[in-house]
Amino acid sequence: MPSIGLATNVTSTLLNALLDEEIQPVRDIPCSGTVTVLKYGPQQRVICKYKDGREEEISREQYKDKASISEEAALGSVGDAIVNSEIKEIVFEHPNLELCTNGVEIIDSPGLNEQAERTLVTEQVLKTTDAVIFLTHAQNALTEKERELLLYLKKELNPGKDNEGAKSIFVLVNFADLLRREESRKQVRQRVETIVKSQNTIAAENRIHFISAQSALEAILDGTENEYLNSFQDFTKSLEQFLTVERGAIALQQSASGMKQIIDTGCDELTQYREMLEGKLTVSEGDKAKIFEQMAEASGRDVKIKLFLADELMEQSVQEAIESWNE
């Protein structure tokens, strides 16, 4: 199932804008204390899942309390608050999450530049994430630490392709409403685009968006329209485009790369065996005896093995193609 990871700790207002109402706990210091999974549902309901396997449906008021950590823990004086938590994750179903109507899940994780325990939680989430939304502050966009995090995310989402940018990272420059002068906006935009280009972080169009989540949320709640609501909607459209169209193409490419790796490995092993038979590789007499013994034992099954491997590979390829197409 496609999932979206939120890779910073300043996500509450953004999630509220996606939900069209103020539900997520908001605080000026980090307050996400556990993994929260937002998904579409015909009615609002919150399910708390515990590490011991228990599940219970809780109220919205209980959700706000359980989804956040204490101010002492957020400030760093209670470093084991997450480790000692009984909660594995909280699942929040909401009918306003139109972005998630096709089985998409939004995963709100604690953050990567926080305490070690909170970072570990987010690193685990990234292993199953299809896209990452990275928030940065417009008045201090892409600090040195954030640039390091972006490179880390690129490697996690684009393994083995250091020379290529990732197509699944969305950079949101939040609090754009605080940039009062047009010249300031141009400078910040140029700075962000230059950094992303120099690091070769992103390899797709329409991945950098300048928003004000709070201003967009206020417009949604008031039933009005402003430039920040428009820019927020541009972001959600580009994200939906990725999840419904582009992600399928990426999955097919990954399947093709995986099959090519299997074939290449098999060819390399066959080449080694051939060179061994032709005497190009030095093998002791004892090893030779073992090899010929194994060859004699396997000779009667040679054709069957080849046919089995071919059928298995073909079936695997077809299944992966079908799954990628459906997604």
Side-chain angles (χ1 to χ4, degrees), residues 139-265:
Q139 291 185 316
N140 192 22
L142 294 185
T143 63
E144 182 178 353
K145 182 64 175 179
E146 289 178 334
R147 294 199 295 271
E148 293 175 1
L149 292 176
L150 269 178
L151 284 175
Y152 167 78
L153 290 170
K154 169 192 166 182
K155 292 179 180 178
E156 287 294 307
L157 296 170
N158 218 28
K161 299 180 180 179
D162 293 340
N163 297 326
E164 297 180 21
K167 297 180 180 180
S168 52
I169 298 177
F170 292 77
V171 176
L172 295 191
V173 184
N174 199 14
F175 302 105
D177 55 320
L178 299 181
L179 302 176
R180 303 298 184 185
R181 298 186 302 114
E182 183 61 29
E183 182 65 22
S184 298
R185 296 188 180 192
K186 289 181 179 179
Q187 291 173 348
V188 174
R189 181 178 293 274
Q190 184 177 9
R191 169 185 170 82
V192 173
E193 292 177 349
T194 300
I195 290 174
V196 169
K197 184 177 180 180
S198 65
Q199 292 189 161
N200 195 21
T201 308
I202 299 173
E205 298 294 328
N206 210 19
R207 293 293 189 269
I208 302 174
H209 298 269
F210 290 77
I211 68 166
S212 170
Q214 184 61 47
S215 296
L217 178 61
E218 290 172 357
I220 292 171
L221 297 177
D222 295 339
T224 59
E225 186 174 335
N226 58 34
E227 62 176 302
Y228 300 109
L229 177 59
N230 293 334
S231 60
F232 183 77
Q233 290 173 339
D234 287 341
F235 153 65
T236 57
K237 287 177 183 177
S238 66
L239 183 58
E240 185 176 3
Q241 168 75 12
F242 169 79
L243 292 170
T244 56
V245 180
E246 298 172 35
R247 181 186 167 277
I250 294 174
L252 286 173
Q253 291 173 359
Q254 291 174 340
S255 296
S257 298
M259 287 186 285
K260 184 179 183 300
Q261 186 176 6
I262 292 173
I263 294 170
D264 289 344
T265 301

Side-chain angles (χ1 to χ4, degrees), residues 9-10 13 23 32 46 58 64 85 116 142-143 147 157 171 183 204 220 249 261-262 265 286 291 306:
N9 56 12
V10 196
T13 306
I23 292 177
S32 294
V46 186
I58 60 176
K64 287 186 177 182
S85 174
L142 294 185
T143 63
R147 294 199 295 271
L157 296 170
V171 176
E183 182 65 22
I220 292 171
Q261 186 176 6
I262 292 173
T265 301
I291 291 170
K306 288 182 179 178

